[in-house]
Amino acid sequence: MLLATRLLCKPVMATSLNSASVKPSGSGSMEALKPKLKGVVFDMDGTLTVPVIDFALMKRKVLGDDHHYFKSGSTSRIDILHEIEQWSPERQQKAYSIITDMEREAHERLQIMPGALELCEWLDSRQIRRGLITRNIKASVDLFHSRFGMKEFSPALSREFRPYKPNPAPLLHICTTWAVSPSEVMMVGDSVNDDIACGKGAGAITCLLDESGKYTSTDASSNVQPDFKVEGIDSTWFHRSECAYIIPMVVVGDSILDGLS
């Protein structure tokens, strides 16, 4: 089977996340149709799984109430892993112990995000690869794979892979492993500062999962604006006109099977 792509419409840029400008497909030859989306890389916590870790509490336990971030009221901007990297080895060990304990406690409450299993099966049926990048520990990734009975994400990079998000290195590593261009890969996650920044830094397509619908284009600098925004994670968001332009179609002989069907 040959994977090909038809340009159905333009992507939704950050300035118009809730609208799309439709562009009809051209009438060029099959040779002009090029593969577009070859893989999707997901964040785990809050994207593939329901958020169960109290990150605000984690930050307070690790940093302490007297940390200047808490005094300034800008705790949402703290990159706790980056903060820890600046500390002495002894202090780092204590901090990682707190984080790991909280992550392991959350294992008992681990739940898959509604629609995630169906989306993964949908991607598999279209031969679109799946990867995973998380700042969580490898044990959490292993539990995720074993508990929900889905085909494993590969590669699945946990916190043990350095440097971690928002550095683009893990996403570029996956692209190299797949032997594809970052422009043919979509990064999906619920964090602008981690997931979208990682995707943009690598040169990938980016999609923000915004279940609360609170995100606006003023929430991030211009270089980390997501290409797409969705409020739920399932295969239906790939059917939206603004996203359809990246979905491969399967060409069998002289017949074209729409990848959205």
Side-chain angles (χ1 to χ4, degrees), residues 186-208:
M186 175 183 282
M187 179 73 209
V188 181
D190 66 324
S191 170
V192 172
N193 294 326
D194 291 336
D195 306 314
I196 303 305
C198 175
K200 287 293 184 180
I205 307 163
T206 58
C207 180
L208 176 69

Side-chain angles (χ1 to χ4, degrees), residues 5 7-8 26 50 94 117 124 130 133 137 140 156 189 206 243 252 254:
T5 305
L7 182 63
L8 297 180
V50 177
K94 182 179 178 180
L117 181 59
D124 291 346
R130 294 185 284 109
I133 302 174
I137 56 176
S140 299
T206 58
C243 192
V252 182
D254 294 327

Side-chain angles (χ1 to χ4, degrees), residues 42-45 53 55 58-59 76-85 96 99-100 103 132-141 156-167 170 187 190-191 193-195 197-198:
F42 294 88
D43 167 55
M44 190 172 77
D45 294 319
I53 297 176
F55 287 105
M58 178 185 288
K59 291 174 182 178
S76 62
R77 297 293 183 179
I78 301 175
D79 186 331
I80 190 171
L81 296 182
H82 177 73
E83 285 284 310
I84 293 171
E85 286 185 337
Y96 285 127
I99 293 172
T100 300
E103 289 172 339
L132 185 153
I133 302 174
T134 179
R135 286 156 56 106
N136 211 317
I137 56 176
K138 183 178 183 297
S140 299
V141 176
L157 305 181
S158 57
R159 187 163 69 235
E160 289 77 5
F161 183 97
R162 300 291 184 90
Y164 30 66
K165 297 179 298 182
N167 192 293
M187 179 73 209
D190 66 324
S191 170
N193 294 326
D194 291 336
D195 306 314
C198 175

Side-chain angles (χ1 to χ4, degrees), residues 206-227:
T206 58
C207 180
L208 176 69
L209 174 61
D210 179 27
E211 287 193 290
S212 64
K214 293 181 179 179
Y215 173 81
T216 67
S217 59
T218 60
D219 292 338
S221 58
S222 58
N223 62 324
V224 291
Q225 297 286 352
D227 298 304

Side-chain angles (χ1 to χ4, degrees), residues 25-100:
S25 58
S27 57
S29 65
M30 286 302 302
E31 289 75 18
L33 298 176
K34 301 294 184 182
K36 185 59 177 177
L37 187 66
K38 292 185 177 179
V40 181
V41 179
F42 294 88
D43 167 55
M44 190 172 77
D45 294 319
T47 302
L48 292 172
T49 61
V50 177
V52 294
I53 297 176
D54 187 338
F55 287 105
L57 177 61
M58 178 185 288
K59 291 174 182 178
R60 288 193 175 276
K61 283 187 173 183
V62 171
L63 301 176
D65 290 333
D66 59 345
H67 195 281
H68 66 89
Y69 276 115
F70 293 105
K71 293 180 179 179
S72 66
S74 59
T75 57
S76 62
R77 297 293 183 179
I78 301 175
D79 186 331
I80 190 171
L81 296 182
H82 177 73
E83 285 284 310
I84 293 171
E85 286 185 337
Q86 318 305 313
W87 296 352
S88 67
E90 295 78 14
R91 193 180 178 193
Q92 283 185 16
Q93 184 177 6
K94 182 179 178 180
Y96 285 127
S97 177
I98 293 172
I99 293 172
T100 300

